[in-house]
Amino acid sequence: MSLFLPLQAIVLFTFMCIPLGVPFTVTMSDSGVPSALVDAPQTGFSMNINGARTDTHEQEAVYDIMRATGNEWATDIPDVCRGRWHGIECMPDKDNVYHVVSLSFGALSDDTAFPTCEPTRSFISPSITKLPHIRTLFFYRCFSNNPQPIPTFLGRLGPNLQTLVLRENGHVGPIPNELGNLTHLRVLDLHKNNLNGSIPVSLRQVTSLRSLDLSGNKLTGPIPTITFHLLNVLDLNQNHLTGSIPTTLGSCHSLIKIDISRNRLLGPVPDAIDGLTSLIFLDLSYNSLSGPLPLSLRSLNSLQTLILNGNPMMSTTIPNNVFDGLKDLTTLVLSNMNLHGPIPESLGRLPCLRVLHLDGNHLNGSIPSTFRRLNTISELRLDNNQLTGLVPFGREMAWRMRRKLKIDNNLGLCYGESNGFGDDLSSLFDSGISHCGASRPGSPVTVRHVSTSNGDAPRSSTKSAGVVHQSPLFSSLLGLTGFLAFTVYLLR
């Protein structure tokens, strides 16, 4: 019974936005490293071949590793490959000697039960270095009650190791420089530990990396120069990284996902990202990035999700054509970015847009009429801006979004007969938006009147919250009686 496919699914759950058709494996035979192993489909009966046996030195190493994690029961198994369990994989060489190629620990789900780690005394045994054919090493939630650094001896696992996952283990201290010796590593996942210090420059030696996930730690310092031409996933979110986004990121043409959100990055989004034509997911939110929005964004023609909210962007506007090339864009989040000016009409021409957040800015003008063409939209936030004028979309679109439509707290939005809302928009969506023919209590009403003085331009008076302000000339012409009558007229 092979475990390679379940393990692949677990390692790649960070690829939430990546299409299933993207080829990616965890245990691979094409590493370019000469191997004596015979890559072939494994079955639960593959160990019953006459003469088949597990390498004795590797078997003793597995016993040590299992004891270190509180799984002493494994030492009663006379042949660890023949008595295989969920979490161990073996492969034969040409002499029919079996070697351990994969070890996994941690209860991921009821369906994928690797050996668990004893919570108070588990550790990673140095005997792992006695498994020269190991390709996959996976520890999940194993040392949270016994925090320990990532062992430096993992850097001695040799050129065969392709997947190293130490996920949510409570590891402390820095990332060892020695991990840079794992030059054929394809997946490095250290997500959600308590790691500190900087990202080791030595990782630049791991040129075969496809997925690098260092998210959910306390890493500091700048993002080092990144030139991984095969890298598909870069996830550094929720750290304390500083400095600017390296321009060399634009040379990683295979990138599909970039998440460097929730750090302390400064400066602009580099124009060099225009070379990332395979990028599907980009999240730079909650940093201190400054504007303007780079026009190079429109070159990312595979992009489906763009999240930039929580960056100040220095009071910039949204260029009208910055999203023109993003025909596959489904999610655009630009909330709380201190954006000014009008909403570009081009946003209403994005054919696949489902989620659009522009709330918490200083956007003014009207909602573009092109928004009525957003036939796939399911969530729209325009609240807390300075928008005015007619809401351009109709009842069907509003009903489709229901509570995910937020357009309240603007200066003066209203709806008309053509919207087909009747009188229930405000009650249905708590939008505070009323009919264009009705005035809301406390809202300003401008009244135009003409002066009889030669050469005087028409003057206006404004009624707000029941108070009328008028020019002295207007009062003297009408007289007290006329003024009182006019006031009664306004207050009706």
Side-chain angles (χ1 to χ4, degrees), residues 285-307:
S285 61
Y286 296 105
N287 282 285
S288 296
L289 301 175
S290 55
L293 292 172
L295 292 177
S296 54
L297 285 173
R298 61 186 176 186
S299 301
L300 309 181
N301 48 33
S302 297
L303 198 63
Q304 296 179 15
T305 298
L306 176 60
I307 305 174

PDB file of all heavy atoms in Angstrom, residues 285-307:
ATOM      1  N   SER A 285      -0.367  41.889   1.305  1.00  0.00           N
ATOM      2  CA  SER A 285      -1.162  42.685   2.234  1.00  0.00           C
ATOM      3  C   SER A 285      -0.461  42.891   3.575  1.00  0.00           C
ATOM      4  O   SER A 285       0.430  42.137   3.970  1.00  0.00           O
ATOM      5  CB  SER A 285      -2.523  42.024   2.464  1.00  0.00           C
ATOM      6  OG  SER A 285      -2.370  40.733   3.026  1.00  0.00           O
ATOM      7  N   TYR A 286      -0.888  43.956   4.277  1.00  0.00           N
ATOM      8  CA  TYR A 286      -0.441  44.276   5.635  1.00  0.00           C
ATOM      9  C   TYR A 286       1.076  44.368   5.734  1.00  0.00           C
ATOM     10  O   TYR A 286       1.712  43.727   6.566  1.00  0.00           O
ATOM     11  CB  TYR A 286      -1.017  43.289   6.651  1.00  0.00           C
ATOM     12  CG  TYR A 286      -2.511  43.368   6.734  1.00  0.00           C
ATOM     13  CD1 TYR A 286      -3.322  42.387   6.173  1.00  0.00           C
ATOM     14  CD2 TYR A 286      -3.126  44.464   7.342  1.00  0.00           C
ATOM     15  CE1 TYR A 286      -4.708  42.478   6.216  1.00  0.00           C
ATOM     16  CE2 TYR A 286      -4.511  44.562   7.394  1.00  0.00           C
ATOM     17  CZ  TYR A 286      -5.289  43.570   6.835  1.00  0.00           C
ATOM     18  OH  TYR A 286      -6.659  43.663   6.879  1.00  0.00           O
ATOM     19  N   ASN A 287       1.651  45.171   4.849  1.00  0.00           N
ATOM     20  CA  ASN A 287       3.023  45.616   4.958  1.00  0.00           C
ATOM     21  C   ASN A 287       2.992  47.136   5.015  1.00  0.00           C
ATOM     22  O   ASN A 287       1.974  47.724   5.368  1.00  0.00           O
ATOM     23  CB  ASN A 287       3.848  45.097   3.780  1.00  0.00           C
ATOM     24  CG  ASN A 287       4.231  43.632   3.935  1.00  0.00           C
ATOM     25  OD1 ASN A 287       5.112  43.298   4.711  1.00  0.00           O
ATOM     26  ND2 ASN A 287       3.559  42.747   3.201  1.00  0.00           N
ATOM     27  N   SER A 288       4.096  47.778   4.677  1.00  0.00           N
ATOM     28  CA  SER A 288       4.141  49.239   4.599  1.00  0.00           C
ATOM     29  C   SER A 288       4.601  49.661   3.212  1.00  0.00           C
ATOM     30  O   SER A 288       5.398  50.583   3.049  1.00  0.00           O
ATOM     31  CB  SER A 288       5.082  49.795   5.678  1.00  0.00           C
ATOM     32  OG  SER A 288       4.603  49.504   6.968  1.00  0.00           O
ATOM     33  N   LEU A 289       4.088  48.972   2.205  1.00  0.00           N
ATOM     34  CA  LEU A 289       4.466  49.267   0.833  1.00  0.00           C
ATOM     35  C   LEU A 289       3.885  50.611   0.400  1.00  0.00           C
ATOM     36  O   LEU A 289       2.807  51.000   0.843  1.00  0.00           O
ATOM     37  CB  LEU A 289       3.975  48.157  -0.103  1.00  0.00           C
ATOM     38  CG  LEU A 289       4.521  46.750   0.213  1.00  0.00           C
ATOM     39  CD1 LEU A 289       3.873  45.719  -0.699  1.00  0.00           C
ATOM     40  CD2 LEU A 289       6.036  46.713   0.077  1.00  0.00           C
ATOM     41  N   SER A 290       4.604  51.298  -0.453  1.00  0.00           N
ATOM     42  CA  SER A 290       4.185  52.619  -0.918  1.00  0.00           C
ATOM     43  C   SER A 290       3.874  52.570  -2.405  1.00  0.00           C
ATOM     44  O   SER A 290       4.308  51.674  -3.121  1.00  0.00           O
ATOM     45  CB  SER A 290       5.270  53.655  -0.631  1.00  0.00           C
ATOM     46  OG  SER A 290       6.503  53.256  -1.199  1.00  0.00           O
ATOM     47  N   GLY A 291       3.127  53.567  -2.848  1.00  0.00           N
ATOM     48  CA  GLY A 291       2.659  53.620  -4.225  1.00  0.00           C
ATOM     49  C   GLY A 291       3.682  54.210  -5.161  1.00  0.00           C
ATOM     50  O   GLY A 291       4.793  54.522  -4.769  1.00  0.00           O
ATOM     51  N   PRO A 292       3.291  54.353  -6.425  1.00  0.00           N
ATOM     52  CA  PRO A 292       1.961  54.017  -6.939  1.00  0.00           C
ATOM     53  C   PRO A 292       1.840  52.531  -7.286  1.00  0.00           C
ATOM     54  O   PRO A 292       2.820  51.797  -7.252  1.00  0.00           O
ATOM     55  CB  PRO A 292       1.876  54.875  -8.199  1.00  0.00           C
ATOM     56  CG  PRO A 292       3.302  54.942  -8.679  1.00  0.00           C
ATOM     57  CD  PRO A 292       4.144  55.001  -7.437  1.00  0.00           C
ATOM     58  N   LEU A 293       0.611  52.134  -7.623  1.00  0.00           N
ATOM     59  CA  LEU A 293       0.411  50.767  -8.097  1.00  0.00           C
ATOM     60  C   LEU A 293       1.158  50.600  -9.418  1.00  0.00           C
ATOM     61  O   LEU A 293       0.982  51.391 -10.339  1.00  0.00           O
ATOM     62  CB  LEU A 293      -1.076  50.485  -8.301  1.00  0.00           C
ATOM     63  CG  LEU A 293      -1.930  50.424  -7.041  1.00  0.00           C
ATOM     64  CD1 LEU A 293      -3.407  50.342  -7.412  1.00  0.00           C
ATOM     65  CD2 LEU A 293      -1.546  49.241  -6.175  1.00  0.00           C
ATOM     66  N   PRO A 294       2.024  49.588  -9.525  1.00  0.00           N
ATOM     67  CA  PRO A 294       2.841  49.469 -10.739  1.00  0.00           C
ATOM     68  C   PRO A 294       2.016  49.004 -11.941  1.00  0.00           C
ATOM     69  O   PRO A 294       1.207  48.081 -11.840  1.00  0.00           O
ATOM     70  CB  PRO A 294       3.880  48.418 -10.352  1.00  0.00           C
ATOM     71  CG  PRO A 294       3.209  47.590  -9.313  1.00  0.00           C
ATOM     72  CD  PRO A 294       2.300  48.517  -8.553  1.00  0.00           C
ATOM     73  N   LEU A 295       2.239  49.647 -13.073  1.00  0.00           N
ATOM     74  CA  LEU A 295       1.550  49.233 -14.296  1.00  0.00           C
ATOM     75  C   LEU A 295       1.989  47.847 -14.741  1.00  0.00           C
ATOM     76  O   LEU A 295       1.324  47.216 -15.560  1.00  0.00           O
ATOM     77  CB  LEU A 295       1.814  50.251 -15.407  1.00  0.00           C
ATOM     78  CG  LEU A 295       1.174  51.631 -15.209  1.00  0.00           C
ATOM     79  CD1 LEU A 295       1.571  52.571 -16.344  1.00  0.00           C
ATOM     80  CD2 LEU A 295      -0.340  51.518 -15.114  1.00  0.00           C
ATOM     81  N   SER A 296       3.119  47.361 -14.187  1.00  0.00           N
ATOM     82  CA  SER A 296       3.585  46.015 -14.542  1.00  0.00           C
ATOM     83  C   SER A 296       2.599  44.940 -14.107  1.00  0.00           C
ATOM     84  O   SER A 296       2.662  43.801 -14.578  1.00  0.00           O
ATOM     85  CB  SER A 296       4.950  45.752 -13.916  1.00  0.00           C
ATOM     86  OG  SER A 296       4.922  45.980 -12.526  1.00  0.00           O
ATOM     87  N   LEU A 297       1.659  45.273 -13.205  1.00  0.00           N
ATOM     88  CA  LEU A 297       0.659  44.289 -12.782  1.00  0.00           C
ATOM     89  C   LEU A 297      -0.140  43.752 -13.966  1.00  0.00           C
ATOM     90  O   LEU A 297      -0.552  42.592 -13.979  1.00  0.00           O
ATOM     91  CB  LEU A 297      -0.288  44.916 -11.760  1.00  0.00           C
ATOM     92  CG  LEU A 297       0.255  45.130 -10.340  1.00  0.00           C
ATOM     93  CD1 LEU A 297      -0.747  45.927  -9.511  1.00  0.00           C
ATOM     94  CD2 LEU A 297       0.570  43.805  -9.656  1.00  0.00           C
ATOM     95  N   ARG A 298      -0.363  44.598 -14.960  1.00  0.00           N
ATOM     96  CA  ARG A 298      -1.198  44.158 -16.076  1.00  0.00           C
ATOM     97  C   ARG A 298      -0.517  43.116 -16.946  1.00  0.00           C
ATOM     98  O   ARG A 298      -1.154  42.509 -17.817  1.00  0.00           O
ATOM     99  CB  ARG A 298      -1.595  45.365 -16.926  1.00  0.00           C
ATOM    100  CG  ARG A 298      -0.438  46.124 -17.546  1.00  0.00           C
ATOM    101  CD  ARG A 298      -0.932  47.375 -18.225  1.00  0.00           C
ATOM    102  NE  ARG A 298       0.160  48.180 -18.755  1.00  0.00           N
ATOM    103  CZ  ARG A 298       0.016  49.377 -19.296  1.00  0.00           C
ATOM    104  NH1 ARG A 298      -1.192  49.914 -19.373  1.00  0.00           N
ATOM    105  NH2 ARG A 298       1.052  50.049 -19.744  1.00  0.00           N
ATOM    106  N   SER A 299       0.790  42.863 -16.706  1.00  0.00           N
ATOM    107  CA  SER A 299       1.498  41.814 -17.446  1.00  0.00           C
ATOM    108  C   SER A 299       1.276  40.428 -16.844  1.00  0.00           C
ATOM    109  O   SER A 299       1.621  39.423 -17.468  1.00  0.00           O
ATOM    110  CB  SER A 299       3.002  42.113 -17.469  1.00  0.00           C
ATOM    111  OG  SER A 299       3.268  43.354 -18.068  1.00  0.00           O
ATOM    112  N   LEU A 300       0.704  40.375 -15.651  1.00  0.00           N
ATOM    113  CA  LEU A 300       0.501  39.085 -14.972  1.00  0.00           C
ATOM    114  C   LEU A 300      -0.789  38.456 -15.481  1.00  0.00           C
ATOM    115  O   LEU A 300      -1.783  38.339 -14.774  1.00  0.00           O
ATOM    116  CB  LEU A 300       0.458  39.292 -13.461  1.00  0.00           C
ATOM    117  CG  LEU A 300       1.615  40.106 -12.856  1.00  0.00           C
ATOM    118  CD1 LEU A 300       1.451  40.215 -11.340  1.00  0.00           C
ATOM    119  CD2 LEU A 300       2.957  39.489 -13.205  1.00  0.00           C
ATOM    120  N   ASN A 301      -0.755  37.995 -16.714  1.00  0.00           N
ATOM    121  CA  ASN A 301      -1.995  37.588 -17.375  1.00  0.00           C
ATOM    122  C   ASN A 301      -2.561  36.260 -16.897  1.00  0.00           C
ATOM    123  O   ASN A 301      -3.635  35.860 -17.340  1.00  0.00           O
ATOM    124  CB  ASN A 301      -1.796  37.558 -18.904  1.00  0.00           C
ATOM    125  CG  ASN A 301      -0.535  36.835 -19.310  1.00  0.00           C
ATOM    126  OD1 ASN A 301      -0.124  35.880 -18.656  1.00  0.00           O
ATOM    127  ND2 ASN A 301       0.090  37.278 -20.380  1.00  0.00           N
ATOM    128  N   SER A 302      -1.879  35.562 -15.986  1.00  0.00           N
ATOM    129  CA  SER A 302      -2.440  34.341 -15.382  1.00  0.00           C
ATOM    130  C   SER A 302      -2.994  34.598 -13.993  1.00  0.00           C
ATOM    131  O   SER A 302      -3.554  33.687 -13.369  1.00  0.00           O
ATOM    132  CB  SER A 302      -1.371  33.240 -15.302  1.00  0.00           C
ATOM    133  OG  SER A 302      -0.923  32.860 -16.585  1.00  0.00           O
ATOM    134  N   LEU A 303      -2.853  35.821 -13.492  1.00  0.00           N
ATOM    135  CA  LEU A 303      -3.195  36.120 -12.106  1.00  0.00           C
ATOM    136  C   LEU A 303      -4.688  35.957 -11.851  1.00  0.00           C
ATOM    137  O   LEU A 303      -5.525  36.461 -12.594  1.00  0.00           O
ATOM    138  CB  LEU A 303      -2.773  37.554 -11.762  1.00  0.00           C
ATOM    139  CG  LEU A 303      -2.662  37.901 -10.277  1.00  0.00           C
ATOM    140  CD1 LEU A 303      -1.583  37.051  -9.610  1.00  0.00           C
ATOM    141  CD2 LEU A 303      -2.364  39.383 -10.090  1.00  0.00           C
ATOM    142  N   GLN A 304      -5.005  35.247 -10.760  1.00  0.00           N
ATOM    143  CA  GLN A 304      -6.390  35.057 -10.343  1.00  0.00           C
ATOM    144  C   GLN A 304      -6.715  35.757  -9.027  1.00  0.00           C
ATOM    145  O   GLN A 304      -7.855  36.169  -8.821  1.00  0.00           O
ATOM    146  CB  GLN A 304      -6.691  33.556 -10.207  1.00  0.00           C
ATOM    147  CG  GLN A 304      -6.604  32.786 -11.509  1.00  0.00           C
ATOM    148  CD  GLN A 304      -6.894  31.312 -11.329  1.00  0.00           C
ATOM    149  OE1 GLN A 304      -7.433  30.885 -10.306  1.00  0.00           O
ATOM    150  NE2 GLN A 304      -6.520  30.514 -12.311  1.00  0.00           N
ATOM    151  N   THR A 305      -5.724  35.909  -8.156  1.00  0.00           N
ATOM    152  CA  THR A 305      -5.952  36.545  -6.855  1.00  0.00           C
ATOM    153  C   THR A 305      -4.867  37.584  -6.606  1.00  0.00           C
ATOM    154  O   THR A 305      -3.674  37.262  -6.649  1.00  0.00           O
ATOM    155  CB  THR A 305      -5.929  35.500  -5.727  1.00  0.00           C
ATOM    156  OG1 THR A 305      -6.987  34.555  -5.935  1.00  0.00           O
ATOM    157  CG2 THR A 305      -6.118  36.157  -4.369  1.00  0.00           C
ATOM    158  N   LEU A 306      -5.304  38.831  -6.329  1.00  0.00           N
ATOM    159  CA  LEU A 306      -4.391  39.918  -6.008  1.00  0.00           C
ATOM    160  C   LEU A 306      -4.881  40.581  -4.733  1.00  0.00           C
ATOM    161  O   LEU A 306      -5.985  41.135  -4.680  1.00  0.00           O
ATOM    162  CB  LEU A 306      -4.329  40.936  -7.144  1.00  0.00           C
ATOM    163  CG  LEU A 306      -3.473  42.183  -6.892  1.00  0.00           C
ATOM    164  CD1 LEU A 306      -2.024  41.798  -6.614  1.00  0.00           C
ATOM    165  CD2 LEU A 306      -3.550  43.141  -8.080  1.00  0.00           C
ATOM    166  N   ILE A 307      -4.051  40.528  -3.666  1.00  0.00           N
ATOM    167  CA  ILE A 307      -4.423  41.066  -2.348  1.00  0.00           C
ATOM    168  C   ILE A 307      -3.348  42.057  -1.924  1.00  0.00           C
ATOM    169  O   ILE A 307      -2.199  41.674  -1.699  1.00  0.00           O
ATOM    170  CB  ILE A 307      -4.564  39.929  -1.312  1.00  0.00           C
ATOM    171  CG1 ILE A 307      -5.551  38.868  -1.811  1.00  0.00           C
ATOM    172  CG2 ILE A 307      -5.011  40.485   0.029  1.00  0.00           C
ATOM    173  CD1 ILE A 307      -5.647  37.648  -0.919  1.00  0.00           C
TER     174      ILE A 307
END
